[in-house]
Amino acid sequence: MTDKQVVLGAAAPAGGTDFAVLADAARTAERGRFDFFLADGVTAANALAGFTDAVGLAATLDTTSAEPFDVARRFASLDHLSGGRAAWNTVAPAGGRAAEFVGTARTLWDSWAEGVVTLDRGAGRFVSDPTAGAFYHRGRHFDIGGRFTVPRSPQAQPVVIVSGDGPEARDLAARHGDVILAPLGTFESARAAYTDVARRTVDAGRPAGAVKVLFTATFAGTAASVADRIVRWVREDAADGFVLPSLPTPDGLDPFVDTVVPLLQDRGVLRTDYTTATLRQHLGLGAPPSHRAVNPRSLQKVPS
């Protein structure tokens, strides 16, 4: 029986503004065959797309000072630029606005169907469906409609990471997320959180494993003891994996990549090379659930 695979992410050095340091950290994560690298912002993630080939590129953008159209556009563009490696990390505040925000962004990403871009320059046709990109959303916090300007991206929808703990974050992840990232606690509290996320995901009408449960962690001890701990937590359903901070030191992630990663690979729980192209595929996620919600009347107002 194949062991459950460990999900690994790395976060950018705290407070780091030197892009050379950031790029080196992202390349080290890729050398360690991590699933994704979490940058501080979308601009940095866009730049890192040119310095990496396979590792996923996540960026943090909250829902309190932005609008769904802009967020959806920026991450769909990152997904195109990176060849399907984009992820949006959103911090879950209390209240229903965040859930509606993420759901609205997913509606926008869903507004382009697969294969409608034809790019027939000779005939002057670029889409086979004149309503491609049309969207409409009416809710408590957002009432928007029109045409989304970025065609369907390589992953169909960028991966959504929800950062936070507690009922609001878990509900948001269960309904609209692909990953939940929470602070590390005890083994027992992690198992309880893992079970709770699975229950909430099923209650939301999705499969129990549709949301990956990750914890932020720094590990101390020998390489063997660290590998043992990671394998135990993942094997015994206390976590799907971990996100490691890139320490602001000259070595950064290198000690972990050089000593712990080979042990995880020897145990068959971490890839030895990338065999998939997109971040969704790296994470073993299925096709994203459809959030398309178009009012037919609104299509009459959308130019072809």
Side-chain angles (χ1 to χ4, degrees), residues 4-52:
K4 181 180 174 184
Q5 296 294 290
V6 174
V7 175
L8 287 180
T17 57
D18 188 331
F19 183 75
V21 173
L22 187 67
D24 183 67
R27 286 193 293 258
T28 301
E30 186 166 81
R31 181 169 67 85
R33 304 301 187 251
F34 281 44
D35 292 276
F36 64 89
F37 181 81
L38 175 58
D40 287 335
V42 184
T43 300
N46 283 330
L48 289 172
F51 288 81
T52 57

Side-chain angles (χ1 to χ4, degrees), residues 11 43 51 56 92 118 195 233 264-265 300:
T43 300
F51 288 81
T118 61
T195 301
W233 280 54
L264 297 175
Q265 292 171 333
Q300 301 171 10

